[in-house]
Amino acid sequence: MSEPRDQFDESDPFDRIVDAETDRDPDLAVIEAGSRTLRARSGPPQGDPVPARPADPEVDKALREVETELATRWGETKLEPSVRRIAALMDVLGEPQRAYPSIHITGTNGKTSTARMVEALLGAFELRTGRYTSPHVQTITERISLDGAPIPAERFVETYQDIKPYVEMVDAREEFRLSFFEVVTGMAYAAFADAPVDVAVVEVGMGGTWDATNVIDASVAVVTPIDLDHTDRLGHTPGEIAGEKSGIIKQGATVILAQQPVDAAQVMLKKAVEADATVAREGMEFGVVRREVAVGGQLLTLRGLGGEYDEVFLPLYGPYQAHNAAVALAAVEAFFGIGAEQARALDVETVRRAFASVFSPGRLEVVRSSPTVILDAAHNPAGARATADGIAESFGFSRLIGVVSTSADKDARGLLEAFEPIFAEVVVTANSSPRATDVDALAAIAVEVFGDDRVVVEPRLDDAIEAAITLAEEEDEYAGAGVLVTGSIFTVGDARLLLGRG
């Protein structure tokens, strides 16, 4: 195992970035400035839809002031399991979340990608959409989208200022102030009502029953695959976790259920019966009929609630994204009443156009070539296994080097074990979040999983990416070499900026 480098030059921009982040809320901790130019920066794809910091200094200053105020509140990792405060905020705001119909999405993995697919499909059918997802990859404005694009920074600031007096009113009444996530959720619901949107696509933050988003009465409840994550808060088995997540199923709703562990499926079906909800199950009422690996993604035939859709190109990699696509299609069909009230299928050309436009940053995202560098936000063992399968299927690497930084509250061992079969070597590092796992502690786990000779330690992410590229290029395997940067959404956000994205 290599040794960490000596003390860094205090004048280095990367050190200044890290220093600037130490006092910030961990859920806002993504580096927001450039670092020294990396050799890894050559030729990233253009047209990145993820917003950068505002170019206008005054707007950027205003946005930073809002971020600073939000950072004084409880972060997303500190919870008081109740919707009492968010319900009080909705009440004083005039119940904006009831101004439009909603599709609510829970699950362990795949929520954001599924939400983006649902949004693309609804938009293709000329509905105005609002999408609320978390956490963000690079910039907080990503969390609230209108018509498929993050709201401008100016509008984000205006929305915050509009609801701020009401937030303070609720703060004064309650035992605990509204949390960061509760305030941003309130902003999203207010922005959607103000737009106004035709439909909101809402991803839960954690769980379901007591999640701040759960003040909507969604006609469609989507449950992506459930696995073990946040076990200290949600439960220690898929069934226990499903009990919390089933709280988004409302009376008379339609439930779109992805493939689940048996105990999780049983809990969800029982909840659906209690709520007199209709259930559509992947593998039964809908699913993936065929899939082929294609250049830049995959070609799918999907069976929906109303019929079969062939020749659907999805510009995302991995079998799990095909399943997300099937879930998203069924959710949109259910929203339109297909399968229950109507037997017809959606227009296949519109469906094809929608899926072909989907972009999901940080999900097997290729950001450069020669050697290929891929970013993936896998942060738990189930996500890592799905990512490993996607890499093995879609990329013919003869040598793959991992760059890994995890969050301290995650199962780092399980994640590393999932990646061990596909990594020739792993470079252990740290992202800019205060929640990042201590590098030495992560390295010790990595040595137990990979062995001492396959582990390299580089405490700085920029150095880690450089080291991984060098390792990938060794032994005359340049053409078949690759680097995967993974372990946390914060790691991906940092890497995107270091690699010239955003």
Side-chain angles (χ1 to χ4, degrees):
M1 182 173 67
S2 70
E3 295 299 321
R5 296 190 179 182
D6 294 334
Q7 182 66 35
F8 307 130
D9 176 3
E10 293 183 357
S11 66
D12 192 299
F14 187 83
D15 293 325
R16 295 199 297 272
I17 291 168
V18 174
D19 289 343
E21 292 299 324
T22 56
D23 295 328
R24 298 195 62 194
D25 184 276
D27 296 293
L28 295 177
V30 173
I31 58 173
E32 292 169 343
S35 181
R36 62 186 184 184
T37 300
L38 292 172
R39 186 161 48 87
R41 192 173 172 179
S42 61
Q46 301 300 311
D48 187 8
V50 176
R53 295 297 306 187
D56 185 326
E58 291 301 314
V59 175
D60 187 58
K61 178 183 177 183
L63 181 60
R64 289 185 185 278
E65 288 173 353
V66 172
E67 290 174 311
T68 299
E69 289 188 25
L70 289 171
T72 66
R73 298 179 176 275
W74 281 358
E76 287 163 297
T77 58
K78 186 173 182 179
L79 303 167
E80 193 274 319
S82 167
V83 294
R84 174 187 172 93
R85 291 175 303 281
I86 186 66
L89 179 61
M90 293 296 99
D91 181 55
V92 297
L93 287 174
E95 304 290 348
Q97 82 283 13
R98 306 202 187 284
Y100 38 80
S102 302
I103 296 175
H104 208 176
I105 303 174
T106 190
T108 301
N109 292 306
K111 296 187 296 295
T112 299
S113 292
T114 301
R116 287 177 174 274
M117 294 179 198
V118 169
E119 173 190 52
L121 283 163
L122 293 169
F125 285 99
E126 300 185 351
L127 292 182
R128 188 167 201 201
T129 58
R131 173 174 52 83
Y132 181 52
T133 53
S134 61
H136 56 273
V137 177
Q138 289 177 206
T139 305
I140 194 171
T141 56
E142 295 169 40
R143 293 176 179 242
I144 305 173
S145 289
L146 293 172
D147 297 320
I151 65 173
E154 298 92 332
R155 189 163 188 172
F156 188 93
V157 172
E158 289 169 2
T159 303
Y160 176 76
Q161 296 299 340
D162 285 345
I163 76 164
K164 182 178 177 180
Y166 302 97
V167 169
E168 293 172 344
M169 187 185 305
V170 174
D171 285 344
R173 295 177 182 173
E174 298 294 326
E175 180 181 1
F176 303 108
R177 296 169 70 215
L178 287 154
S179 70
F180 162 81
F181 187 71
E182 288 169 331
V183 174
V184 179
T185 300
M187 291 172 60
Y189 289 159
F192 296 162
D194 185 60
V197 301
D198 296 315
V199 56
V201 183
V202 179
E203 173 190 339
V204 304
M206 185 187 300
T209 301
W210 41 258
D211 186 73
T213 63
N214 201 30
V215 288
I216 54 176
D217 292 318
S219 61
V220 179
V222 177
V223 186
T224 66
I226 293 173
D227 212 296
L228 301 182
D229 200 10
H230 301 295
T231 53
D232 56 329
R233 298 177 177 88
L234 302 180
H236 293 86
T237 68
E240 290 178 355
I241 293 171
E244 287 295 334
K245 293 183 182 293
S246 69
I248 73 165
I249 299 174
K250 303 301 170 59
Q251 194 70 27
T254 299
V255 182
I256 305 300
L257 195 61
Q259 292 178 345
Q260 303 291 345
V262 173
D263 58 343
Q266 289 173 337
V267 171
M268 286 291 173
L269 292 172
K270 180 181 178 182
K271 174 67 175 180
V273 170
E274 292 171 352
D276 195 27
T278 301
V279 179
R281 300 154 294 177
E282 184 182 7
M284 300 290 287
E285 287 76 27
F286 70 93
V288 179
V289 177
R290 286 185 297 276
R291 54 182 299 274
E292 302 173 30
V293 176
V295 176
Q298 51 194 307
L299 193 64
L300 309 175
T301 298
L302 302 175
R303 186 177 77 251
L305 304 180
E308 195 165 286
Y309 304 80
D310 63 358
E311 300 292 319
V312 175
F313 176 68
L314 180 68
L316 301 175
Y317 300 102
Y320 68 98
Q321 293 289 19
H323 292 285
N324 289 341
V327 169
L329 176 61
V332 172
E333 286 182 311
F335 180 78
F336 286 127
I338 294 172
E341 302 167 11
Q342 307 174 50
R344 68 179 179 86
L346 297 174
D347 178 69
V348 67
E349 288 299 332
T350 306
V351 168
R352 289 170 180 157
R353 185 171 68 252
F355 276 118
S357 72
V358 172
F359 174 75
S360 195
R363 278 75 180 178
L364 284 179
E365 180 186 8
V366 178
V367 293
R368 68 150 279 173
S369 56
S370 300
T372 300
V373 177
I374 301 170
L375 308 181
D376 192 87
H379 58 275
N380 55 46
R385 289 191 293 272
T387 296
D389 289 344
I391 289 282
E393 176 185 81
S394 301
F395 300 90
F397 293 127
S398 58
R399 182 177 177 81
L400 180 64
I401 309 299
V403 176
V404 177
S405 173
T406 62
S407 294
D409 59 340
K410 300 297 182 181
D411 181 3
R413 180 181 297 276
L415 181 139
L416 289 168
E417 287 174 345
F419 283 127
E420 189 277 333
I422 67 167
F423 285 168
E425 295 180 70
V426 61
V427 183
V428 173
T429 188
N431 59 53
S432 64
S433 169
R435 287 170 52 197
T437 306
D438 175 78
V439 174
D440 291 335
L442 186 59
I445 297 170
V447 167
E448 293 177 5
V449 174
F450 287 83
D452 186 83
D453 60 341
R454 294 170 63 195
V455 178
V456 175
V457 179
E458 288 288 358
R460 298 157 52 103
L461 183 59
D462 54 349
D463 290 334
I465 295 172
E466 289 273 14
I469 288 172
T470 299
L471 289 168
E473 293 174 347
E474 288 179 350
E475 301 179 14
D476 297 322
E477 293 186 285
Y478 187 86
V483 173
L484 174 65
V485 184
T486 188
S488 166
I489 192 72
F490 301 114
T491 305
V492 166
D494 291 359
R496 283 185 111 255
L497 286 167
L498 288 168
L499 293 167
R501 305 301 302 272

